Amino acid sequence: MKRNWEGVVLKVMGAKDFTLEVTGKDEITPDFLRVHVRDGGLLERSGLHPTMWIRLWFDDAGKAHQRAYTLVNASPADGTFSMDFALHNGVAADWARSVQPGDTIDATVQGSSFTFPQPVPRRIWVVGDPASIPAINSLLDERNLTAAGAAPVTAWLEYQHDADPSLQVRTSESDVVTWVPRKRDGAALVEEVCDALTAGTVSVEEDFFWIACEASSTRAIVKHLRKTLGVDKHRIDALGYWRV
Ligand SMILES: Cc1cc2nc3c(=O)[nH]c(=O)nc-3n(C[C@H](O)[C@H](O)[C@H](O)COP(=O)(O)OP(=O)(O)OC[C@H]3O[C@@H](n4cnc5c(N)ncnc54)[C@H](O)[C@@H]3O)c2cc1C
């Protein structure tokens, strides 16, 4: 499988390569699969942090396609982790549908980093969808560890499948999650979020914003935060997780 220029650039940047071996998979919903892997030494060499993601190399007729996936239930002691696949039509999603125990896939670690904001934010505002639920859950776990009882989360999660709102989001009592059906190419989510995030509800000085949904929606929400509300970029962690 031939990697394109991305593989060359990652090598130059000192990226670490690993081969993961699939040990099994579980259907969480008809549109969301969890694939379990042995890590090929990845956790020992790369460590682990909240929201950690890796680059997987999927083979499509001999051509390599790189896609990002988030670590779930990682166990450095056992050298294992899982990855959750939100299903649609794509090489990565198709791989998850058909993969069998014993299959392998190459992975590269480069570019993922996150430390929980300090001082602890007054509130964390989150926007995501099933693709970013694994990262959101690790963010919630980290909040519970480092700031138990503080930094309540208000989250909007966009969904496209009826079963999506049944996906587990590890909130605590002070958190609020609103599921928003994807409508008008994501405009419904952007409007609902931007209408709620105003100078009256947000503390520009004390809040933190974690945004990971479709790329153009992510950009629109970040623009609202930066340009309309004047939020400092250090208070925003935003990354488009997929593209229409
Ligand atoms: C840092 C990071 C971490 C990520 N972690 C995860 C994760 O843990 N689990 C996960 O499921 N995804 C995750 N993603 C998103 C995932 O990398 C993308 O969805 C990726 O494009 C899927 O590749 P594909 O080959 O299946 O589809 P592609 O070939 O990229 O796209 C094929 C078609 O499917 C559509 N599509 C792609 N992704 C989605 C989606 N999520 N929802 C709806 N339609 C989609 C595209 O618009 C296109 O029409 C992450 C992305 C980033 C940047």
Side-chain angles (χ1 to χ4, degrees):
M1 177 172 61
K2 194 163 163 35
R3 290 186 192 177
N4 58 11
W5 58 270
E6 289 169 315
V8 178
V9 172
L10 286 166
K11 253 293 64 70
V12 171
M13 291 171 78
K16 304 185 201 83
D17 292 326
F18 303 90
T19 299
L20 314 179
E21 184 188 343
V22 173
T23 57
K25 66 178 169 183
D26 294 313
E27 181 183 293
I28 310 286
T29 74
D31 312 295
F32 200 80
L33 281 180
R34 179 162 295 167
V35 175
H36 311 292
V37 296
R38 261 194 277 281
D39 77 347
L42 185 150
L43 292 168
E44 193 183 6
R45 275 193 67 202
S46 306
L48 183 62
H49 57 262
T51 77
M52 181 167 169
W53 55 274
I54 57 175
R55 301 162 191 266
L56 298 180
W57 297 92
F58 296 95
D59 183 19
D60 186 18
K63 212 173 143 218
H65 294 268
Q66 185 205 138
R67 303 283 188 262
Y69 280 84
T70 305
L71 272 50
V72 174
N73 296 337
S75 169
D78 297 333
T80 58
F81 59 86
S82 304
M83 290 172 288
D84 288 346
F85 287 75
L87 299 181
H88 43 264
N89 292 320
V91 283
D94 289 346
W95 177 85
R97 280 189 191 93
S98 64
V99 76
Q100 297 295 328
D103 289 354
T104 60
I105 186 154
D106 290 343
T108 299
V109 180
Q110 173 65 41
S112 177
S113 68
F114 180 80
T115 42
F116 194 82
Q118 294 293 346
V120 171
R122 183 199 71 126
R123 177 171 295 279
I124 304 177
W125 304 89
V126 169
V127 188
D129 61 28
S132 51
I133 282 182
I136 291 167
N137 276 330
S138 76
L139 177 68
L140 288 166
D141 292 346
E142 183 66 12
R143 186 275 315 267
N144 293 344
L145 270 178
T146 61
V153 166
T154 299
W156 289 268
L157 300 176
E158 188 184 51
Y159 72 98
Q160 303 193 49
H161 307 286
D162 291 346
D164 288 348
S166 71
L167 293 170
Q168 188 198 20
V169 186
R170 289 196 288 275
T171 48
S172 59
E173 271 176 16
S174 52
D175 303 328
V176 180
V177 174
T178 305
W179 286 90
V180 182
R182 181 170 172 83
K183 286 187 192 151
R184 292 180 284 123
D185 291 333
L189 174 76
V190 172
E191 283 166 19
E192 181 157 346
V193 170
C194 293
D195 284 353
L197 297 178
T198 66
T201 57
V202 160
S203 168
V204 170
E205 301 294 327
E206 297 170 300
D207 289 355
F208 184 73
F209 303 83
W210 196 91
I211 320 292
C213 46
E214 192 279 324
S216 61
S217 304
T218 302
R219 272 198 307 277
I221 293 165
V222 170
K223 188 173 168 201
H224 173 74
L225 293 173
R226 301 272 293 129
K227 297 250 158 71
T228 311
L229 299 179
V231 177
D232 189 272
K233 63 174 186 239
H234 297 108
R235 297 200 157 272
I236 303 172
D237 191 329
L239 187 57
Y241 264 36
W242 59 280
R243 248 166 245 291
V244 171

